[in-house]
Amino acid sequence: MAFLMEVAQLRERGVAVSTLQADNSEIIGDGTARDALNAIWSRKSYARMAEAIDRFQPDLLHVHNFFPILSPSIHASAKAKGIPVVQTLHNYRLICPNAQLMRNREPCDLCVGRRVKWPAVRYGCYRKSRRASAAVAAMTGVHHVLGTFQKDINQFIALTHSAANIFVAGGLPIDRIAVVPHAVNDPGARVDYKDRRGGLFVGRLSEEKGLDVVLRAWHEIEVPLTIMGDGPERPRLEAIAPPNVRFLGHQSQDAVSDAMRSAALLVFPSLWREPFGLTVVEAFSHGLTVLSAQGAVDDLVVPGVTGERAPPGDFAAWRDMATKLFSEPDRLNALGQGARAEYEARYTPDRVVARRLALYEQLLSA
């Protein structure tokens, strides 16, 4: 979704954008030798990128994701054509095969700084498969040894300063990492907090999102909780949820926006160090207070300003903090105002796209 929003925001400001996308149905399955070789270097994708450049004649290439279908061959293809390359770092794939810096529901940095990510293979970190993990480790290992990411990428974009620091520790050049967040379209005037009720979760229902701790806490919280999203964990989560929690599944962006206008608190219990929290910034744009897990989106959620934090996995702390916030509507209102002010200062399309365009111009002039 962030990719599509970014394309639309650029086009709305007069930037000509052509996209090259891959079909996820081809993603690595069992880590076969052919899949591994394709993830390391795809001749087909190299040719597709060269043809796209010849057809569109771009000033630069901005890559959002290349794994596993397109492979780093697309960066080399652009370099061969004399086109500068920007790479947004949406996750930690370049330094961690499972892209999350997490193992067994805990933070893990065993592969950070290693050219060959052998710990990921040992523990089967990618898709819980050693074969598939070996394929991903081979992709990152080969290109770290060859220096592909240093030679063929002119500019990296990290979404937060915390994420940028992690990538530097993982070996990416500090002088080529700029911090530019995602922008969220302005939903307009927000509903006054006196009209807001209940809690809200928006996101994928997967293990790393940590929603089970919230559901455990909600057994002792009387206000309703609405969950928007779908994923592999949904059946298990529904089975442990109390009666005042409702699961709505995947919803349209308009439905999510309506829910953020009416909720009193967004819960963001993610267990991993997310490179960014698009849902959090969407909440800010609606003037919605956020209760997040410590270490997940600390660059975004400032305690006492835009929301509060609770330790990841600590259901008692989540219960106590959520209960306290719901009992203090004036405090929720003040935090919501702070969230909206933070959005206006940092995350509007005009501000963010201007920073991105300035980065493009700097790159092209160099």
Side-chain angles (χ1 to χ4, degrees), residues 118-171:
W118 65 264
V121 180
R122 175 185 177 187
Y123 295 111
C125 291
Y126 179 68
R127 299 194 171 192
K128 299 180 180 180
S129 164
R130 288 184 176 178
R131 293 181 65 191
S133 298
V136 184
M139 184 275 291
T140 56
V142 166
H143 290 289
H144 275 295
V145 170
L146 295 177
T148 301
F149 303 125
Q150 285 78 5
K151 293 186 299 183
D152 293 347
I153 299 175
N154 302 84
Q155 181 70 63
F156 295 93
I157 291 181
L159 302 171
T160 64
H161 289 283
S162 293
N165 291 336
I166 293 172
F167 285 113
V168 171

Side-chain angles (χ1 to χ4, degrees), residues 25-98:
S25 65
E26 303 173 51
I27 283 180
I28 284 178
D30 59 359
T32 63
R34 185 180 66 177
D35 289 334
L37 289 173
N38 185 79
I40 294 170
W41 185 271
S42 169
R43 292 191 295 175
K44 178 180 176 180
S45 295
Y46 185 99
R48 284 182 65 194
M49 179 57 68
E51 188 276 331
I53 290 172
D54 289 341
R55 181 181 67 253
F56 187 63
Q57 294 293 307
D59 294 307
L60 59 81
L61 169 67
H62 192 151
V63 180
H64 286 267
N65 186 23
F66 60 85
F67 176 83
I69 307 304
L70 297 176
S71 86
S73 69
I74 62 172
H75 305 88
S77 183
K79 182 181 179 182
K81 294 285 187 179
I83 304 297
V85 178
V86 178
Q87 172 73 59
T88 292
L89 301 165
H90 289 280
N91 55 44
Y92 300 109
R93 182 77 64 196
L94 295 187
I95 59 177
C96 170
N98 74 12

